[in-house]
Amino acid sequence: STIPYHNLQNQPKQSKNKASKNQSNSPNANVPDTSQANQATRQRNPTQRNTMSLSGTGTFCPPCSTPSDTSHRHLWLPPQANTSASDPIALGQLLLRNSLTNKKEPFVPMKHRHVRWYTCGPTVYDSSHVGHARTYLSFDIMRRIMTDYFHYNVLYQINTTDIDDKIILRARQNELLRQLEEDGSVDFEKLVGLAKEALEEAKAKSEEKKQKIEKELEEAINNKDSRARTEQEGLLEQHLVKRKNLEKDEVQIIEACSGNDRVILLKAAKSVLAEKLDREKGHLITDHSVFNQHARKYEREFMEDMTALGIREPDILTRVTEYVPQIIAFVQKIVDKGLAYESNGSVYLSLDAFQSKGHNYRKLSPAGPGGAATTAAEMAEGEGALAGSSSGSEKRNPNDFALWKASKAGEPAWDSPFGPGRPGWHIECSVVAGDILGENLDIHAGGEDLKFPHHDNELAQSEACFGCQQWVNYFTHTGHLHIEGLKMSKSLKNFITIRQALEHNTARQLRIMFLLQGWDQPMNYSDQTIDDARSKETTFKSFFREVEALARNDYLSEEVGWRMGEADHKLSEAYLAARQTVHESLLDNFNTKEAMGAMLKLINEANQYLRLPNAKPSVLLLRAIATYITQILKVFGVVNGGDDFGFGMGGGTGGDADANGNASEPYIDAMVSFRDNIRNAALEAAKGGDAKAAIQSILKICDGLRDDVLPKLGVRLEDRPTGTMWNLEDPEVMMREMAEKAAKEREIQISKLEKQLVAREKEVEKIKNSMVQPQDLFRTDEFKEWDEAGVPITLASGEPVSGGQVKKKKKAIEKQEKAYKDLMDKSGNNPQELLDATQTEVDAIKFKLSELSL
């Protein structure tokens, strides 16, 4: 394999002084080190010297033996690794940002090279959005690097949350909306009244919420509580977004109420009606199948989305509803230890008892001793959307959290020793992960927003049950995905579903976009970030096409050695340096951004090499570079298939013959049609036609073959000064590129036509104004008398026109005389004909614009 175990590839680095000392005893001590790889290493750490190992960290040591008189062996100077280096990456250690310490730590599995990895899965109450794609694509990339590059043995588990406050609420609302839609007794007039009531209730609730946040913000400012102030400012910003969404809903509802279409009104008022119906009738929904069917629908949709994104399936998939007996036993064990207590049918973890046993709380997001600084907003997030106002009075400590919730009317329930109820939000992950992966996890992963309360509470209840101080060794969290400055969120209605994103972008482009970001850092989702990903994809594609065309030739029929002198050496050093940078980047917390940058830089070096005058490129070296880049992109999940290098056909037809060889038929048809067109154009010229026109026709036919016919068959042609280069690609990808190119050209054409339209409309107006004879310019109702030149002298009221105004009017008439004369000269004394022709141009431009818009 060309991708080695990381701990075998890297060796420790050595200080400059010690390296110098060792080298002074070696025969190579005075040999200058000019390699680009060594220079790059020294730039990273100026204490580095000669490279003798794959990691660039070896030195020569004294001879291992002295030849005797009878020995036929000559002196050998063995390379020696430097064991005094302190850089973990130089030692070949994988660094992983651990949320438990908030810094990068050397990764050490608990047993051999086995990695037990648990990732929080989706709460399946609605369609997944690009924020979810960011999390699961990032972990997929990290998992691939761990398994396919570093060769760890990863056991990867994901859990589906299929019973939760959000699921219960959304399932009830959808069921009640369905019942309303089918209720024939609610005619349009009654529905209008219901929608207006729901809208007013929603507005009142929104205003109440706003006043509450503003009050708490004012208190935070007065108390100089910066943490509370920041929290309330964030909540206010989010609430104002929700308020704007409500205002948009109001406009649509009022408009729908003025019509007579029941379906349109139900759609416009869906959000406010759902909340009203649930408040009034939610307790009547008791059928478990309502909640189960809702969860199954969105669970399947999520898994289909993951497949569409090219994300590997987990090794183990679990569901909360299939673990209720184990959850009850888990909770009972904590109660039996005296670390949890029952209250009104619910069970809460006692933080006071938990901490009295020497445990720590809020390891991921510290907030004072024992979580004392936990805010009301944070607690509300932990309790869930259906928590009653009395839940706080059930607790011994306000920060205690539910392990088991007593079910209220309208909520699914399971029998338990504590009474009918359902699992708390956090308990599920502890139980399913503990059951599958054991009482100690190597890695636990999730999104940044799960740190508190979900993951902190997971840690507390797991350590309480298992009696350990550390349930998880490494906690990893992906950064938030922002859109227009705010976290992408369903509650803010500022999200783009994964399916919507895939309508405009390929899964490969989305993956490249995330590869170009730090997985543990926040990022913005915008046209700029996706355009950058497309640009990088094009760079890779172009390079692969270039090398493919070179490799297609019979290089053995020519000189095979390096024929470009220093340029060959420079490219080979760039190749080795790039491999080293990629390797060290992946060791450094899966830094794919830097790794991608190193490969793109290498491609740039290769492109410069290929563009040198009289280039005689080393095909094997370029193929090695393309193959290596492809292998890394395969590790990242960007490339699929078994090709040596390149993106492959991506599942397109691309000429793979079927059992009957029918795949060749489209190519034969294309060639026959092309030949017919060329032949007909040539015959037309031979019969005495216009030879120049025939040549233009033939060139146009050739361009049509390149631009319209062959792309549909998965063949790309590129005209070069040295000839035409061809490559096979996925027809769907090429058709999408053609569509995008056509759309851009259409936008450019529309922009040009719009400018032309403005100019021609101004010309029409100018002609109309210039057609007025100078002496008639001021013959309007404003005046009563004029002189022989048409200058007004008396106003309609009988008063004389002032001297200043007379002068202005004379100048205006003189200007009109010039404009009139110019028009007559330009139109050949037929201004109406010129006006009609110009108006025809305006109409033609408008027609073209309407066609392009369609």
Side-chain angles (χ1 to χ4, degrees), residues 183-230:
D183 189 351
S185 65
V186 181
D187 58 17
F188 185 78
E189 186 176 346
K190 289 181 180 179
L191 186 59
V192 167
L194 195 63
K196 288 182 176 179
E197 283 179 21
L199 177 61
E200 291 305 314
E201 290 171 10
K203 288 166 65 177
K205 184 180 176 183
S206 175
E207 180 60 28
E208 182 182 349
K209 178 72 172 177
K210 177 172 173 285
Q211 291 178 5
K212 182 176 181 294
I213 295 173
E214 288 175 339
K215 181 181 178 182
E216 291 177 0
L217 175 59
E218 184 179 358
E219 290 176 357
I221 293 172
N222 293 336
N223 295 333
K224 297 181 179 180
D225 187 339
S226 59
R227 181 168 176 265
R229 176 176 179 173
T230 301

Side-chain angles (χ1 to χ4, degrees), residues 7-32:
N7 62 333
L8 296 180
Q9 185 175 6
N10 280 279
Q11 300 294 331
K13 296 186 178 179
Q14 177 162 307
S15 69
K16 184 174 182 180
N17 292 337
K18 187 168 181 179
S20 300
K21 180 179 178 181
N22 286 341
Q23 288 174 353
S24 65
N25 295 324
S26 75
N28 295 329
N30 296 319
V31 177

Side-chain angles (χ1 to χ4, degrees), residues 538-611:
T538 300
T539 299
F540 285 119
K541 280 184 175 181
S542 298
F543 176 66
F544 291 145
R545 287 199 297 266
E546 193 87 35
V547 177
E548 181 187 343
L550 287 171
R552 197 182 296 126
N553 298 327
D554 181 13
Y555 68 89
L556 289 174
S557 64
E558 303 176 359
E559 294 179 68
V560 295
W562 284 1
R563 298 169 291 174
M564 294 175 64
E566 182 60 29
D568 289 314
H569 286 275
K570 183 181 177 183
L571 181 60
S572 68
E573 295 295 346
Y575 169 44
L576 295 176
R579 291 188 69 134
Q580 185 68 16
T581 300
V582 168
H583 181 69
E584 292 182 353
S585 299
L586 298 186
L587 283 173
D588 188 12
N589 193 38
F590 305 104
N591 189 346
T592 58
K593 179 180 179 180
E594 188 173 333
M596 291 286 282
M599 291 190 292
L600 289 163
K601 181 181 177 183
L602 176 59
I603 288 175
N604 183 54
E605 295 266 5
N607 287 336
Q608 291 179 28
Y609 169 82
L610 286 166
R611 302 295 179 264

Side-chain angles (χ1 to χ4, degrees), residues 594-841:
E594 188 173 333
M596 291 286 282
M599 291 190 292
L600 289 163
K601 181 181 177 183
L602 176 59
I603 288 175
N604 183 54
E605 295 266 5
N607 287 336
Q608 291 179 28
Y609 169 82
L610 286 166
R611 302 295 179 264
L612 289 173
N614 303 314
K616 295 181 179 179
S618 170
V619 176
L620 293 179
L621 177 59
L622 287 166
R623 187 185 186 100
I625 291 171
T627 301
Y628 168 71
I629 291 174
T630 301
Q631 288 171 337
I632 297 300
L633 292 178
K634 281 181 180 177
V635 169
F636 292 167
V638 174
V639 175
N640 296 314
D643 294 343
D644 289 341
F645 63 85
F647 286 144
M649 294 302 296
T653 54
D656 293 335
D658 61 19
N660 300 316
N662 294 330
S664 61
E665 291 182 6
Y667 297 94
I668 296 171
D669 289 341
M671 289 299 100
V672 170
S673 176
F674 175 70
R675 179 182 179 277
D676 286 345
N677 291 332
I678 291 290
R679 187 169 179 272
N680 291 336
L683 288 172
E684 188 68 28
K687 291 177 182 178
D690 187 343
K692 185 177 288 187
I695 291 172
Q696 291 299 319
S697 176
I698 289 172
L699 290 174
K700 187 175 181 181
I701 293 168
C702 292
D703 289 345
L705 179 71
R706 178 195 63 199
D707 299 335
D708 301 323
V709 179
L710 291 181
K712 296 174 183 176
L713 302 175
V715 180
R716 183 189 295 274
L717 299 186
E718 289 186 24
D719 292 330
R720 301 285 184 85
T722 56
T724 301
M725 185 177 79
W726 66 269
N727 298 91
L728 298 179
E729 284 204 26
D730 186 343
E732 289 185 10
V733 172
M734 294 189 68
M735 296 304 294
R736 179 178 288 188
E737 288 178 359
M738 289 170 60
E740 290 174 353
K741 181 181 177 182
K744 287 182 179 179
E745 289 176 351
R746 186 166 61 250
E747 288 176 8
I748 292 170
Q749 195 173 357
I750 288 173
S751 178
K752 286 182 178 179
L753 286 172
E754 286 175 341
K755 290 178 181 178
Q756 290 177 14
L757 180 61
V758 170
R760 302 318 291 160
E761 285 180 335
K762 285 183 178 179
E763 183 65 19
V764 167
E765 195 63 28
K766 180 181 177 182
I767 292 171
K768 287 180 178 178
N769 292 334
S770 299
M771 286 175 68
V772 178
Q773 295 191 21
Q775 63 270 25
D776 295 333
L777 186 62
F778 295 108
R779 292 188 180 276
T780 65
D781 294 341
E782 184 182 356
F783 305 103
K784 185 178 181 181
E785 294 179 330
W786 301 264
D787 65 13
E788 63 279 2
V791 178
I793 55 178
T794 306
L795 295 170
S797 62
E799 297 179 5
V801 177
S802 66
Q805 285 297 316
V806 169
K807 287 182 180 179
K808 287 184 178 179
K809 299 297 187 279
K810 283 183 178 180
K811 287 184 178 180
I813 289 174
E814 290 171 359
K815 185 177 180 181
Q816 182 67 11
E817 285 175 349
K818 184 179 183 308
Y820 185 78
K821 183 178 182 301
D822 291 344
L823 176 62
M824 292 299 109
D825 293 341
K826 183 177 181 180
S827 65
N829 293 322
N830 194 345
Q832 187 60 49
E833 184 178 321
L834 178 63
L835 177 63
D836 292 343
T838 308
Q839 184 61 52
T840 300
E841 290 179 21

Side-chain angles (χ1 to χ4, degrees), residues 199-200 203 243-257 268 272:
L199 177 61
E200 291 305 314
K203 288 166 65 177
R243 183 133 179 170
K244 284 184 180 179
N245 291 333
L246 180 59
E247 290 170 358
K248 291 177 183 177
D249 288 346
E250 181 177 14
V251 172
Q252 294 178 355
I253 291 169
I254 292 173
E255 183 178 347
C257 287
V272 294

Side-chain angles (χ1 to χ4, degrees), residues 224-292:
K224 297 181 179 180
D225 187 339
S226 59
R227 181 168 176 265
R229 176 176 179 173
T230 301
E231 180 182 61
Q232 293 304 319
E233 285 175 342
L235 290 173
L236 182 60
E237 183 180 19
Q238 292 179 20
H239 183 74
L240 292 177
V241 172
K242 293 177 183 178
R243 183 133 179 170
K244 284 184 180 179
N245 291 333
L246 180 59
E247 290 170 358
K248 291 177 183 177
D249 288 346
E250 181 177 14
V251 172
Q252 294 178 355
I253 291 169
I254 292 173
E255 183 178 347
C257 287
S258 63
N260 58 5
D261 192 318
R262 197 169 183 272
V263 174
I264 292 177
L265 178 54
L266 278 169
K267 183 178 179 180
K270 179 180 178 180
S271 181
V272 294
L273 280 174
E275 291 185 11
K276 178 179 177 60
L277 290 171
D278 189 73
R279 283 194 300 271
E280 296 175 355
K281 300 180 179 180
H283 62 282
L284 301 176
I285 306 299
T286 57
D287 185 355
H288 269 225
S289 66
V290 171
F291 309 110
N292 189 55

